[in-house]
Amino acid sequence: MTKVSKVQESAEHLEFAEVVQLIDAARQHAYQAVNTALIELYWQIGAYISRKLQAAEWGDGVVDALANHLAATQPNLTGFTRRNLFRMRQFYDAYQHDQIVSALLTQLPWTHNLTILSRSKHPEEREFYIKMAIKEKWSSRELERQFKAALFERMVLNPAKVSAVLTQTHPEALSVFKDSYVVDFLNLQEHHSEADLHHSLLAKLKHFLLELGRDFCFVGSEFPIQVGTQDFALDLLFFHRGLNALVAIELKVDRFEPEHLGKLNFYLEALDRDHRKPHENPTIGVLLCASKDDEVVEYALSRSLSPAMIAEYQTQLPDKKLLQAKLHEFYLLNIAQGDGL
């Protein structure tokens, strides 16, 4: 291909980009319309079966007969086996009294709804994963991974540790950041260096962005910062669209120490003075450490004048059963306190 034809092709690409966007938008709209109709159909069938069974008009055997009838009279129809019909009934029973959550169900594919329904143990957990799957636009694989990573349990038991300034300047930050990030996809050795962690995160940047959250955009690695006559390098720099702020991440492969916060605060000041755009909010700092003592973190952040937070990274999936047991104790304690015991 000649240079002229390449230029012509590039010009056509720009000129026709809007048409391509219209086509993509129409496809997405059509897909969403089909999905909405499908979820509503399953809801209605689930409601019908539920009412029949509760009124003792049907026994479980009638559902078998319904599945056989549909297979015989609608041979091209799929997805209406006995098992799926009972899933539709379970789907309806789980959400029929929660109007807020039930209104969200059509925004997710049926496979997502089934995963959340089958793997959640509490109504709060179902609502959490429904909202997160919609917000983050998780694929089925990513949704499964977040269940394995016990995201709900971790968020409830260990909310993000942030400075008071971060809460004031970015009130939504608590719903954006996590107390711990699971980076099992890095396949790091037990004893790894900061360079190993840094290079692995860059090599698996797509996975790391998914773990951080949908609105994070990568800006740079070893981002150069010059103050006076000295040159510094920030480990990782991101931008969060929802918070409209730069997010500086410093990596530590050992336990968090209070002095780590001083360097991060220095970087935040330099970024705000020399790199932040006039329309952007103050830069947020994240210290990502191998481990931390929550009491030390609390003391360190209590006097911090910067919008900063301390989090840890986990190189392996957490023990989900242990976290579920702790969450059960957490709920029992809250119930006891609510009853004034």
Side-chain angles (χ1 to χ4, degrees):
M1 184 180 292
T2 65
K3 289 185 178 180
V4 175
S5 59
K6 285 184 178 179
V7 171
Q8 183 178 0
E9 182 180 344
S10 177
E12 289 178 350
H13 178 80
L14 292 173
E15 183 177 356
F16 302 147
E18 187 173 350
V19 176
V20 174
Q21 290 175 359
L22 289 172
I23 295 171
D24 290 341
R27 283 175 176 166
Q28 183 59 35
H29 179 75
Y31 168 79
Q32 186 58 52
V34 170
N35 184 71
T36 297
L38 187 65
I39 301 301
E40 289 177 347
L41 173 62
Y42 291 167
W43 177 273
Q44 292 166 2
I45 293 174
Y48 183 81
I49 294 173
S50 180
R51 287 194 297 267
K52 290 291 187 181
L53 292 175
Q54 286 181 2
E57 296 180 28
W58 283 10
D60 289 352
V62 180
V63 179
D64 292 340
L66 173 60
N68 293 332
H69 175 76
L70 291 174
T73 59
Q74 307 285 334
N76 295 324
L77 199 62
T78 60
F80 292 90
T81 62
R82 175 187 185 279
R83 183 180 181 184
N84 282 341
L85 290 172
F86 273 110
R87 282 174 170 172
M88 294 172 201
R89 181 253 180 125
Q90 183 186 12
F91 180 61
Y92 171 78
D93 286 345
Y95 301 111
Q96 61 173 311
H97 300 302
D98 194 333
Q99 294 183 353
I100 295 177
V101 174
S102 61
L104 301 173
L105 300 175
T106 58
Q107 297 183 48
L108 293 174
W110 179 239
T111 53
H112 283 56
N113 277 309
L114 285 183
T115 298
I116 293 171
L117 186 62
S118 63
R119 301 198 58 167
S120 299
K121 294 185 177 298
H122 307 280
E124 299 89 350
E125 185 177 7
R126 289 198 297 263
E127 181 177 353
F128 172 83
Y129 281 111
I130 287 169
K131 290 181 176 179
M132 286 296 294
I134 293 171
K135 175 187 173 185
E136 299 294 334
K137 299 188 184 303
W138 285 336
S139 66
S140 295
R141 179 179 296 180
E142 185 61 22
L143 176 60
E144 286 280 356
R145 180 181 176 276
Q146 294 300 343
F147 268 104
K148 291 178 181 177
L151 180 60
F152 173 70
E153 290 86 351
R154 290 189 289 126
M155 294 288 279
V156 173
L157 294 170
N158 300 298
K161 309 297 188 296
V162 306
S163 66
V165 177
L166 179 53
T167 305
Q168 294 166 4
T169 57
H170 304 82
E172 320 93 298
L174 286 175
S175 65
V176 170
F177 295 101
K178 306 170 190 174
D179 181 68
S180 64
Y181 292 88
V182 180
V183 292
D184 57 304
F185 48 83
L186 298 182
N187 297 317
L188 288 166
Q189 299 294 324
E190 182 179 355
H191 300 290
H192 55 272
S193 67
E194 189 173 299
D196 294 332
L197 174 61
H198 195 158
H199 295 155
S200 296
L201 286 173
L202 291 177
K204 298 282 188 175
L205 186 58
K206 179 180 177 181
H207 295 79
F208 187 45
L209 283 168
L210 283 172
E211 179 64 10
L212 287 174
R214 186 170 181 80
D215 275 345
F216 280 89
C217 306
F218 180 64
V219 177
S221 166
E222 297 183 328
F223 188 80
I225 294 176
Q226 185 177 49
V227 178
T229 59
Q230 297 187 55
D231 293 322
F232 302 89
L234 170 69
D235 286 337
L236 297 168
L237 184 62
F238 294 84
F239 185 83
H240 192 276
R241 295 169 60 204
L243 298 175
N244 189 32
L246 291 167
V247 178
I249 298 183
E250 272 290 281
L251 305 172
K252 299 295 178 184
V253 295
D254 49 9
R255 185 180 63 180
F256 166 72
E257 298 294 343
E259 54 264 30
H260 295 160
L261 200 54
K263 187 176 182 182
L264 180 64
N265 291 341
F266 172 79
Y267 285 154
L268 297 184
E269 183 67 20
L271 287 167
D272 277 346
R273 288 195 188 193
D274 303 328
H275 298 277
R276 178 164 65 101
K277 304 293 185 183
H279 65 278
E280 293 174 357
N281 292 320
T283 305
I284 299 168
V286 178
L287 263 171
L288 194 57
C289 310
S291 64
K292 58 183 174 60
D293 183 310
D294 286 344
E295 193 169 1
V296 173
V297 169
E298 181 186 350
Y299 274 54
L301 290 176
S302 63
R303 295 295 181 94
S304 176
L305 299 179
S306 296
M309 66 161 294
I310 316 298
E312 65 181 17
Y313 67 90
Q314 300 179 5
T315 57
Q316 295 180 339
L317 291 172
D319 187 332
K320 188 173 176 67
K321 290 184 178 179
L322 177 61
L323 287 174
Q324 286 177 339
K326 289 183 177 180
L327 186 64
H328 181 66
E329 294 176 3
F330 175 81
Y331 280 137
L332 290 178
L333 180 62
N334 280 355
I335 292 173
Q337 290 175 344
D339 291 340
L341 298 177

